[in-house]
Amino acid sequence: MDVKNVFLHGDLQEEVYMEQPPGYVDQTRPNLVCRLKKALYGLKQAPRAWLDKIGQYFVTSGFQTSNADFSLYVKKIDHGIVVIVIYVDDLIITGDSDVDIFDLKKLLKQKFEMKDLGELRYFLGIEVIQSLKGIWLLQRQ
């Protein structure tokens, strides 16, 4: 899954101010600044705000955060597990049940604007080949 406009989803926890953007300066109050409530691209707090937002969503949806990796979420269900790995705006979703994965993707698309990229083929420079014999991870380059 690929999250569109990922950093615009994050809510800021601290006070952040910015100058009025060029072309939108209030001529009567040119020294006025804007207090941001949501993250913007280029803001150093944006990645953390996004990860906090999506992480809270997963936890309230029954997922547990991994102690080994803050970007790994696991949810145990009656007939197996669902696992999510996050890297900035990309999510890998896997598990035992195609139905549970489909339902999760549907919920995520309703909450955040996302695009389903289909079966995993490449991730962080690693090629993924899936077959009936197993899953192959290759780093040819």
Side-chain angles (χ1 to χ4, degrees):
M1 301 287 287
D2 181 62
V3 185
K4 295 181 182 178
N5 302 315
V6 68
F7 292 146
L8 302 182
H9 291 288
D11 301 315
L12 296 173
Q13 301 302 316
E14 58 274 336
E15 288 188 19
V16 177
Y17 296 91
M18 66 176 262
E19 295 177 354
Q20 296 177 58
Y24 296 94
V25 177
D26 183 345
Q27 298 303 322
T28 60
R29 300 180 289 177
N31 295 327
L32 193 68
V33 294
C34 304
R35 179 173 180 223
L36 301 177
K37 293 183 179 182
K38 308 241 345 137
L40 295 174
Y41 277 87
L43 194 64
K44 68 179 182 178
Q45 293 90 340
R48 186 177 66 244
W50 158 244
L51 289 175
D52 287 347
K53 178 119 181 182
I54 191 87
Q56 289 172 4
Y57 178 77
F58 289 145
V59 169
T60 59
S61 298
F63 284 84
Q64 293 184 348
T65 308
S66 167
N67 291 331
D69 189 337
F70 69 90
S71 64
L72 176 66
Y73 294 86
V74 178
K75 182 177 183 179
K76 294 181 181 177
I77 51 178
D78 292 337
H79 41 280
I81 63 170
V82 176
V83 178
I84 301 171
V85 176
I86 303 172
Y87 183 77
V88 188
D89 64 342
D90 295 320
L91 280 73
I92 296 176
I93 302 172
T94 189
D96 297 277
S97 168
D98 290 338
V99 173
D100 290 324
I101 292 171
F102 177 82
D103 290 344
L104 175 61
K105 287 180 178 182
K106 186 176 166 185
L107 290 172
L108 285 170
K109 286 180 185 179
Q110 290 172 355
K111 179 73 175 170
F112 307 100
E113 191 175 350
M114 294 190 178
K115 180 180 181 184
D116 190 346
L117 300 176
E119 188 175 287
L120 182 63
R121 297 185 191 277
Y122 289 95
F123 190 72
L124 299 177
I126 299 172
E127 183 179 2
V128 180
I129 301 172
Q130 300 180 41
S131 73
L132 296 175
K133 293 181 180 180
I135 299 173
W136 300 86
L137 301 176
L138 303 169
Q139 210 169 5
R140 296 180 196 201
Q141 297 177 353

